[in-house]
Amino acid sequence: MTSDRSSVLWSRASFLKAALGTACAGAMVRLARAAGDPVVQIAASRGVVSAPIWNVSNHAARYGFRVQMSVLFTYADQQRAAQNNQTELATTGINNPAIVADQGITNLRYISGQQFGGQNLVLRKGVTADTWKALEGKTIGVVPGTYARVLFLVAAQEGGADLDKIKIVNVSVGATALEALRKGDLDGFVLFAPMTDQVVVEGIGYYPPKLDIGACSLGPANGGILANTAFLSDKALTLNFMKAYLDSVHEMQNEAAFVKVATQLAGIKPEVAQEAFRNLYFSETIDVNAITAAAKLGPRFGYTKSDVSDKVASVIDFGPLMRATGKTQAELTGTPPAAQKLVRR
């Protein structure tokens, strides 16, 4: 799950407290649609990896709809919002289709990729490691329950490290982890853009050249878009949304356009946004292999009760992407070459 300090605008409690207001908003949306002015409701954090979904509002008018954003911090909260029809779409992680399948949720579909990379290991300046095994004896901070933690543990183990010999400690996101790194309490941490990039820009830490969590068998896929089936039943609106979303994704592949959105979205400096851009790639492509592999690991890492890798295909719906792009499912599957090039090996 991607996050930054400015992302914490709505807690779960405040979201539930606002449920009545959401219901009223839903009624207003239905009235707007009846008047021929559709509104698409989307749940997302204000993390920079969600820049494409926020940027949809700059393309929506051309396709005849408006966007209403709900700011929710975690993928879990965003998923619940879409599941409960409090929003229609939500950003989501690579392991969330497994959670959807494991929990027997039938009204959510993974309809598009969004970003690759944008989460990684950063080491404190002065700490050296040129192999995963060299991390043994070092203290690495991870955020529990995140897919970035899963990637790190898989990458380190596949790279020959004994996980029992790495001092893995849980950290909170944001300033606490940054201060722990600055003080030397941590030798490194596994976090998300733009926090990792801020550390690099400030000279506190660096990306170790040969230790990229995306170099593991799971790959660098990071997140995508969920939609509920009620929204998808409106074929015309779904198609228009997807066309606007594709325009937005492709615009965010341009550094200047991304920096403009990211600085406003996350309240970061342009140089931090530029560093983030160098370490992530936006694409609508769906990495089915990564989603399936993540589902297999669900029981090991605790986000599912069982291996649901044989069920996640039913959660993925390529239909909207295929209709909007004219491409086949095969053409829309996998890790884009540009994303592969970002992975340090």
Side-chain angles (χ1 to χ4, degrees), residues 247-293:
D247 285 354
S248 179
V249 168
H250 298 159
E251 183 180 17
M252 289 300 94
Q253 292 171 354
N254 174 271
E255 182 176 359
F258 168 76
V259 169
K260 181 178 180 181
V261 171
T263 52
Q264 296 173 350
L265 180 62
I268 56 177
K269 296 179 180 180
E271 54 266 35
V272 175
Q274 290 165 348
E275 181 66 27
F277 183 82
R278 287 191 283 270
N279 294 290
L280 60 82
Y281 183 74
F282 296 112
S283 174
E284 67 277 10
T285 302
I286 299 176
D287 195 329
V288 177
N289 288 339
I291 291 172
T292 305

Side-chain angles (χ1 to χ4, degrees), residues 38 40 63-65 230-244 320 323-324:
V40 175
Y63 294 98
F65 67 92
F231 173 73
L232 295 175
S233 68
D234 188 334
K235 300 295 185 184
L237 183 57
T238 298
L239 179 60
N240 285 332
F241 165 78
M242 189 57 72
K243 288 180 177 179
R323 288 190 292 272

Side-chain angles (χ1 to χ4, degrees), residues 4 13 29-30 44 85 99-100 106 157 179 199-200 295 322 327:
D4 55 81
V29 170
R30 288 190 290 274
N85 295 311
I99 296 171
V100 170
T106 60
Q157 188 171 56
E179 186 61 22
V199 166
V200 172
M322 292 169 64
K327 296 180 180 179

